[in-house]
Amino acid sequence: MPRQNTIVLVYRDEIEQFAMLMNQGLPLDTLIHLTFKKDEEIITYLKEGMSLQEIFTLNQKKLYFKYLRILSGKLNLSDALDCVNKIEKSSNTFFETLLKKISYPFFLLIFAFFMILFFSDYVLVQMKDYISNRMVFVFI
């Protein structure tokens, strides 16, 4: 079995450009030459019988391409690309809102931790002399 090439053929931004230009009436080979850096290799793979979905996901490890591989089995290429972009957008907005909502409580937690650390290391050590006196201890 020959060793597979681990260098990717296409990048995400190239696929997004391809998706924008896909329904503009350009021939496929012209569209490939316009959007991809490794256009000759892609055309060679197409002539060998590989589909565009297989070429796009060849040697790809990122989640975007895994989604594309899964969705391209059930949908056509343009619908799969639209769906993957919507999934990525909703995922990003979910994490952004999650970070916005937990940032303030996280800040308060860290602030309270350092306040407790400060009081236990500095203030209580300074008050040790006062606490050792029984009258002040009863008063406190």
Side-chain angles (χ1 to χ4, degrees), residues 12-130:
R12 181 178 176 170
D13 59 342
E14 293 175 339
I15 292 175
E16 290 172 354
Q17 290 174 0
F18 180 80
M20 287 190 325
L21 296 173
M22 191 165 42
N23 295 325
Q24 300 301 320
L26 294 171
L28 184 61
D29 58 343
T30 305
L31 186 57
I32 291 172
H33 287 299
L34 287 174
T35 56
F36 299 108
K37 293 176 186 172
K38 298 182 180 181
D39 53 349
E40 295 298 327
E41 293 179 43
I42 293 172
I43 292 175
T44 304
Y45 280 124
L46 284 173
K47 287 180 182 176
E48 290 175 0
M50 289 181 71
S51 67
L52 278 175
Q53 293 93 335
E54 293 171 341
I55 294 171
F56 288 168
T57 59
L58 186 67
N59 298 327
Q60 300 284 358
K61 303 291 185 209
K62 294 188 177 182
L63 193 59
Y64 178 85
F65 296 101
K66 290 180 181 179
Y67 287 151
L68 184 61
R69 183 180 304 129
I70 292 168
L71 291 174
S72 65
K74 300 291 181 187
L75 302 171
N76 61 21
L77 182 61
S78 63
D79 291 340
L81 289 172
D82 289 340
C83 191
V84 168
N85 287 333
K86 288 178 184 177
I87 290 171
E88 287 284 317
K89 184 179 177 182
S90 66
S91 171
N92 289 341
T93 56
F94 171 74
F95 285 115
E96 286 175 7
T97 56
L98 181 68
L99 285 176
K100 285 179 184 177
K101 289 186 179 193
I102 67 168
S103 62
Y104 183 68
F106 184 71
F107 169 75
L108 287 180
L109 178 70
I110 297 298
F111 182 75
F113 172 76
F114 283 114
M115 288 297 295
I116 291 170
L117 188 67
F118 171 74
F119 276 106
S120 66
D121 285 348
Y122 295 108
V123 175
L124 290 179
V125 170
Q126 296 296 325
M127 292 183 67
K128 184 172 69 171
D129 295 332
Y130 295 114

